[in-house]
Each structure stands twice: as C-alpha cells, then as structure tokens.
Amino acid sequence: MLIRLLFLGIVLFLIEIYAFQAIKTLIKVRWILISYQIFSLFLLVFLVYSFSKFDRSVGQTRQTMLTMAVFLIFYVPKLIFTITMLGEDLFRLCAGAINFFVNNDVEKNIFPSRRKFVSQIALGLAAIPFASLIYGIFEGKYNFKVLKQTLYFPDLPESFDGFKFTQISDIHSGSFDNKEKIEYAIDLINKQEADMILFTGDIVNTHAHEMKPWLETFNKIKKYEFGKFSVLGNHDYGEYVTWPNQNAKEVNFEAIKNLYGEIGFDLILNDHKFIQKGNDRIAIVGVENWGKGFKQAGDLNKAANNLSKDDFKILMSHDPSHWEYEIKNHPKHFQLTLSGHTHGMQFGIEIPGFFKWSPVQYVYKQWAGLYENLGRYVYVNRGFGFHAYPGRVGIWPEITVIELKKGKSLV
C-alpha cells in the first residue's frame, strides 16, 4: 500500500510540474502563481491522504466519491496540460538536436523557449473536461434518458409480435443523494407502455443496507402484466470489501438477494421462467454474474436446462463479456441477451445514430447499446445509477424500452 501511494504521489507531482510550466507561460503575476502552487500542494496532500484512508472493510463512501470527483476534476485537465507540454518538449528536443548537430549553431540557445500559444491551446483543451466533469456531478448523473429500440426476429412467436418490455440496470443505490430525482426516474419508468420489466443487476454498491432508504421509492414501480424479473450483478456479491468473516459476507449476500423481492422483482438465479401469451410462450432466462476478469457464478447450461434451440429466449446476464465469450455462439441459440455493467464508463461522447466513444470500449467490445452476431443480439444498458465518480458526462443514465417484432432483421 505504501509503495502504491508513493508511486501515486510521484506521478501526481510530475503532472503538477508540467501543468505549472503551462500556467507560468500564460500568467506572469507572482501572487497568482504562488496561490496556484499553494492550492496545488493542498490538493495533492488531500488526495494522497484520502486515498491512504480508504477502508476496505467499508468500501465506497461519500468521502471516497468526493475524493474521486476532486481527483478527476483537477487532474484530468492537468493531464491534458502534461501531454501537451510533453509534446512541445519533444518538438523542442528535436529542434535543439537539429540546431546542434545539423546547423552547428551553438552560439545561441540550443533549445527553443516555450511558446505561449501552445499553453493557450492546452488551457482551452483542459477547460473542456474540467467543465464537463463538474456538470456531470451536478446535472449529468440524473439526466435520465429513455432509449427505445425495435428488434425483428423471424422466429418470434406470433402472439408476442409487438411485445414491449423495459430494461433497467446498475441501480447502485448506495450512491444516490437526491430522492426527488430518483422519483422522477421511477415516474419515467412507469410512463412507458411496456408489458414487462427486466432488471439486469447491481442493486447496491456492496452492502444490503444501502438500498433500505430507497425501498419505498422503488416499490412505486408499477406491476406489469407479464412480470418483473431480475438477475444479480457483480456488486451484489460483496466482493469488493474485506469482511470480518465469511458468515458476515454470506448474510449480506442473502440480504441483497432478498432486496430484489422487496421491490417486487422475481430474482432468477441460473434458471428460467416461461411467460405465456395466447397460445405461445417465451423463456426469460437469468444467469448469475459471469464476467471476464470478474466473478463467474453464471451457469448458462444450467439456466437453459430443458430449453431447446427453437424456444424463443430473452437472456439476462449482467456482464456483456459473457455474451462475447459464451453466449453469442452457444448452441441453444439465445436470440436476445440483456446486459449492463459497463455504465459506458459514465464518460464519453454520443451522437445518437452517428457516433459514440468512451474509454471503456478499449476494454469491452460491447459496451453501450445494441450489437448483433448472426441474428443474435445483445443490448447493453448504460446503467441507471453511478459508481465511484459521482457523475456522468456524455453517457447518460438509461431506461430502455425494447419492442419485439416478428419479421426479418433490419440490422
């Protein structure tokens, strides 16, 4: 732990040096520069101290979220300063080498001095994430969006043509701090004309008690003709804290599983349920969490036991990497998989229908929205809540409404 903190301190210190070089190029007023240095030192001490006080027996708290917010708000812009200044230093180094070795010019300064306009560009670039991250904390994290998707399947049973369901995912109730905003989101859910609702996991950050203040609010989600079903997410297992003993962890896990029932959802654990409409039926399949690099309690074969390839199946699996590694080519042919987990990293750029980008795409092939492989689909919900960074920038909290239609795929 001490070595990690020392390494963090050194990295932050180097970023501070380069950021100050940019500021010094732009500002010549001595007292402003001194004030900047004092503030930066205070910030550095605060972050190192806060990170050193993280308690693995407690997990995420308001203090840890504040620390992450401060870290991102100030050090992402400073990192942009650093990258820009490093780029200029590389240019200066090359120019100096040319002056010395090619032009044989040793009488004047070998290295060109820093250019003001480069620092101005760095400041302009740094202002974008600075303002965006602040907006994400105060507005973005509750900027709920209803996203609608129509999917066509040639093997969809006739009676389910036009069937609609709502999907929510990644509530992370332990992060909430505004009851009015959450009630607004529940109203949005209830306004959707859907036949069923599916919840793809992560009801808490770690502890069952996080959801207790929100039970009444989430119990306002209306009843649906064809039911309310859910699965577990990776955070529901209490894997990210240190427990006093195994029994305490198991008690918490059982309490978390009960939470789903307390808000009216039927929790499916490596199993399936049939819903009937007219003379037809479809299977709602639910697996426990299975993720590449995460807990792998999901048992797809057990969940699909006694189901045939021809049964129409909606599979809930929290982590989309499960689709990539096990589901998309499974012989049982899962027509539609619903996932969450990634949150779209709560940071990115989206222009619906044209462009979407987030750093999380370099980790997950399927990270937000709809993906298809040989007529099989996975939809990755961007998440209802937030975790670690108490905000969202560009990747907004999502309520999904999917309509199933019988017919040839349009994708």
Side-chain angles (χ1 to χ4, degrees), residues 101-238:
F101 293 107
V102 178
N103 300 330
N104 199 29
D105 188 354
V106 296
E107 293 185 0
K108 63 179 183 180
N109 289 335
I110 295 176
F111 295 104
S113 58
R114 292 194 180 278
R115 294 165 294 177
K116 184 177 181 179
F117 85 91
V118 174
S119 295
Q120 290 173 329
I121 291 173
L123 181 63
L125 292 173
I128 297 173
F130 179 78
S132 298
L133 288 163
I134 292 176
Y135 173 83
I137 292 171
F138 290 98
E139 296 292 337
K141 65 186 179 185
Y142 294 127
N143 186 20
F144 292 97
K145 300 297 182 183
V146 177
L147 302 184
K148 297 184 178 183
Q149 188 83 50
T150 301
L151 301 180
Y152 292 80
F153 297 93
D155 56 346
L156 180 70
E158 292 282 354
S159 299
F160 285 89
D161 187 21
F163 185 85
K164 289 183 182 180
F165 64 86
T166 298
Q167 180 199 3
I168 58 173
S169 191
D170 300 87
I171 285 178
H172 289 284
S173 55
S175 300
F176 294 154
D177 57 9
N178 190 319
K179 185 176 181 180
E180 183 179 339
K181 295 291 188 181
I182 301 304
E183 288 182 340
Y184 163 75
I186 300 301
D187 287 341
L188 272 183
I189 292 171
N190 288 335
K191 287 178 181 178
Q192 308 313 308
E193 297 179 357
D195 302 297
M196 175 178 70
I197 187 168
L198 303 176
F199 174 15
T200 44
D202 276 359
I203 196 170
V204 296
N205 294 330
T206 298
H207 298 95
H209 64 74
E210 297 166 10
M211 186 63 181
K212 294 300 182 180
W214 304 99
L215 288 176
E216 181 181 352
T217 302
F218 279 87
N219 265 307
K220 293 179 182 178
I221 296 177
K222 67 182 182 181
K223 293 183 179 179
Y224 289 78
E225 180 180 356
F226 293 90
K228 302 162 73 171
F229 301 98
S230 60
V231 292
L232 296 172
N234 58 303
H235 281 268
D236 295 328
Y237 293 84

